[in-house]
Amino acid sequence: MRPGRDPGLLADLPRLAVLGLGAVIILAPYLWMLSASLKPGSEIFSDSLSLLPQRLYAWENFSKAFREVPLLRFLLNGVLVCAVILFFQLLFAVPCAYALAKLRFRGRETIFALVLAGLLIPAHVPALPIYAGLAATGLLDSYTALVAPFVISVFGIFMFRQAFRSLPEELIHAARIDGMGEMSIVWRVVLPNAWPTATAFATFSIVAHWNDLFWPLVVVQHEALATPALGVLFFRAEEAGNDVGALMAASVVVTAPMVAFFLAAQRRFIQGVATAGLKG
Amino acid sequence: MPEAPLPRFAAPPPARFALSEAAAAWLLSAPAMLSLFLLLLGPSLALIALSFTDWELGAGGLTWIGLGNYAELLEDRTFLAALRNTLLYVALVMPSSIGLGLLIALLVEGGKRLRATFRAIYFLPVVSLLVAMATAWQYLLHPTIGPVNRLLALFGVAPINWLGSSDWVLLSLCAIGLWENLGYVVVLFMAGLTAIPSELYAAAEMDGARSPWARFRLVTWPLLGPTTLFVVTITAIRCLRVFDTVAALTDGGPNNASEVLLHVMYKEGFTYFRIGYSAAITAVFLAVVLALMLIQTRILDRRIHYA
Amino acid sequence: MAGIAIEGIRKSFGATQVLKAVSLQLRQGEFLSLVGPSGCGKTTLLRIIAGLKTADSGAIHIAGREVTRLRAADRDIAMVFQNYALYPHLTVAENLAVPLVMRALTPWQRLPLLGRLAPGTAARRREIAARVQAAAEMLRIGHLLDRRPVQLSGGQRQRVALGRALVRQPSAFLMDEPLSNLDAELRASTRREIVELHRAAGVTTVYVTHDQVEAMTMSDRVAVMMGGEVLQLGTPREVYEEPAELRVAAFLGSPRINTLKVAAAPDGLRLGPVTLPLQAAAAPGTRLTLGLRPEAFALAGEGLAARVEHLEFLGAELLLHGRLAADESPIIARLPQAETAGLAIGAQVALAVEWRAALLFDAEGKRLRLAPQREAAHA
């Protein structure tokens, strides 16, 4: 409990040891996944606990993974879907958040109440009716279907509204006097001044949709449309799914981008995902 | 510098029709409101309505059957197993991740060394692709080639079929759930801890709180109260939504031992296309989530905010 | 000895030496201020006295007992923090009771409900409640006992913090800028109140502040700290009138003391072409600094010639910002309002100087004695 003094390394050792042990357990699946992706099957099935491969089999495992399923395609699908979702979320949520935060109009309280109501509903709840709707319009198994339910983020509206409220009124008044319309105020004055919120929201949104399995599993049948999360399931369904080395190689490939992204921008990530706790 | 007068710009042409503030506000909110109704509120109401029908996709007509679906749920062994398992999952994963998460947060905040490193490591599972990591866990927990059983064998423990036996499968999923949620709890508690002014600890020590435990009881725990309540709700809801690991690893088996709410809802709705029945399951899921949030706000209202 | 003895305290953070062998002795019941600019080490020293930080070397004695290696809880001290550090989840009464509860009750007796069952708890609790009540009455916060800190004004919180220190008659009070979060009016009245409480309780007190007015008005003695050292320790009058160093002279007093570059000469001190009627015990030609407080000047028929550049009207007094004709150095004079009628910017004035109040410093800033004054003519 935060003692006021800074302990020496020796006194600090028990703390570091406990945390280190926990860290090893947390990292264990990553290490074994990576290790198995480098080993030939014979070594994976042998009785050894060694992490390092005796014979490097990385090329075979990874090339098999890329051969069996279009891993690159999955990754590109993931990037595309996340980007389009984020684009629409910002396009819809930011102007609405600005109106709720800075404009006075009849109905504002009602709109905000609806937003709060939306916050309470998990994304799985509207899934069935939306699915039925997409089926009726023949839009299942398409990029549209992958993106559609997520173009509105009530959480985004909420988060941006909180951020915009703290912007000074003078800033907006000055922009109006300079001749800007409300739309340009939103994109050229208000949003650039809430940049930390925007990046936090973006990381939250990207992590959520990159990792989402439920919705792609519901709407996608064709391998060509699979996102990384769904791609893993497709791979396991293939014959190669029984090849542990190749399966681990595929897992490494789909896990790596987000992990690398995270390690590069840790602070923003943690801030984004943690502040977005309200609705995940 | 020659003092040339600045060129005068012509005044901008007056807007052809200046929008009133209210009209602008409605225009700005329109896309969001439209999609909110179309994609969230409308479908959610439709879902409640559907849960009182017997609609099956592709079967044509639909009949209002009142509480029929709900009555059937009470008899449905798979659903009851899923409900029980989901609540058990929450009851195991939530307290353990909160207890361990608080402990780790206290340890990480208890010194300066490696603080950012530990935070990043513990947080890593939160941002990792869970399906892929579940696959890695499957390998780790594999009964014959899995490193976990091999490690246990060194201590003379007979191999355990972690994901294949109905005795162990839910516990194994809980362990993965703990692994997945821990970092989230750690980060939230760390934020709560840094918000506690360090002078309070100095004051507590001065006031005679000698042991770390006394300081924890006097300062840390009460001041973390709001954070803890928030973490409890968030973690409970995250746990209620358990789906990925079940879909990827067990498909609810063996013998419904790892069946959970969202997975039954998925199977009934999207594999068997029993929309009405699946809607009733979703409604139950929604009710549990709303109940949790209600409890949270009730507790928050009753206590005085002292942040 | 009783009181507090601080012996050779050193502390470094990395390569920076924050405290360089600081030693201080406080008599039993004394009120001593540590004053200095921010970053001078005063707060670090206070936290080392409190046991919240450990010194690299040196020793602390409180009330005749060596406490260097004891923890804060075992030093029998109380502290008032700058932001008061009240427990936000506890009522005022509970806040005041914490130091007593922690000491008078065993961990078992402290347990929320079960503790009441332990033998002796009820009697102890009654005694604690009585003492809390007494301390609250003394500070006139008896009517606030059921409130929580958020429901209090800044001044009320400050009183609760004082109460938490008073309730347990410790052997020393440590105060860390306790008035800095109050508005000016409240600060003035609380200053007096703290002094009165100190007088009534008679507890040795170390008071840290960056505000020289607080230090001068409240303390028995003042320790002026800068750069991790105590430059001077003395009564408020001593450190103001007889500063040991130029830095002390410059830190105390508002507006700041005027400093003039002068050189020793056989017949006085040379300020540009002018010879001042002061004799320094220094070889002719030595460069010195002459310090003249703003109140050492008076308007007169003759004296140092100066040009008025700016006038600040303060009510009873007037601050004259000017430039000396002798060497163009800027000066500030504090003049009684009554004598300044007709002064205007740009005017030439003659400033008579109270030479007995002049302070002389060598090139290192150490104080030099003035030789016995000679009634010499000035320019």
Side-chain angles (χ1 to χ4, degrees), chain C residues 27 62 166 195 241 267 302 322:
Chain C
R27 293 185 301 274
I62 296 174
L166 277 174
V195 172
E241 292 183 349
D267 56 341
E302 60 180 53

Side-chain angles (χ1 to χ4, degrees), chain A residues 217 236, chain B residues 78 163 169 173 243-260 263-264 266-267 271-272:
Chain A
L217 187 60
R236 290 158 50 105
Chain B
T78 311
L163 294 167
V169 64
L173 290 179
F243 174 79
D244 292 17
T245 43
V246 175
L249 299 182
T250 69
D251 210 25
N255 195 20
N256 290 342
S258 65
E259 199 56 89
V260 292
H263 192 251
V264 185
Y266 167 79
K267 278 205 298 202
T271 338
Y272 310 141

Side-chain angles (χ1 to χ4, degrees), chain C residues 183-352:
Chain C
D183 60 50
E185 197 182 331
L186 208 49
R187 205 179 302 168
S189 64
T190 314
R191 259 192 340 239
R192 179 170 159 198
E193 216 160 339
I194 291 181
V195 172
E196 281 167 359
L197 285 172
H198 169 255
R199 220 172 276 149
V203 174
T204 318
T205 302
V206 182
Y207 186 100
V208 162
T209 179
H210 67 275
D211 180 347
Q212 46 169 308
V213 178
E214 282 175 26
M216 302 295 253
T217 53
M218 299 171 75
S219 323
D220 297 320
R221 285 193 298 163
V222 174
V224 183
M225 289 188 70
M226 243 171 257
E229 294 174 286
V230 174
L231 298 184
Q232 189 172 3
L233 172 65
T235 64
R237 184 175 289 275
E238 279 166 4
V239 291
Y240 186 76
E241 292 183 349
E242 301 292 340
E245 284 193 43
L246 181 55
R247 285 188 287 168
V248 176
F251 181 73
L252 298 173
S254 173
R256 226 175 101 103
I257 193 168
N258 296 295
T259 53
L260 303 172
K261 296 285 170 218
V262 296
D267 56 341
L269 291 174
R270 290 266 150 73
L271 175 70
V274 179
T275 304
L276 306 177
L278 290 168
Q279 281 293 322
T286 318
R287 306 211 158 272
L288 302 169
T289 303
L290 178 67
L292 293 172
R293 297 256 183 223
E295 62 271 22
F297 294 101
L299 282 182
E302 60 180 53
L304 290 174
R307 190 176 70 252
V308 179
E309 291 192 327
H310 178 60
L311 293 167
E312 281 180 292
F313 177 70
L314 297 182
E317 291 168 325
L318 181 131
L319 293 182
L320 182 156
H321 297 247
R323 213 165 267 282
L324 288 182
D327 66 340
E328 285 294 301
S329 53
I331 51 135
I332 300 176
R334 184 199 293 272
L335 304 168
Q337 180 60 34
E339 300 169 13
T340 58
L343 270 186
I345 288 167
Q348 298 289 334
V349 292
L351 293 169

Side-chain angles (χ1 to χ4, degrees), chain B residues 199 204-205 207 210 218 222, chain C residues 71 73-74 83 85 87 89 103:
Chain B
E199 290 193 334
E205 181 143 5
D207 288 341
R210 286 179 180 77
L218 181 62
Chain C
R71 321 184 21 191
D74 301 323
N83 61 10
Y87 305 109
H89 57 293
R103 286 184 167 79

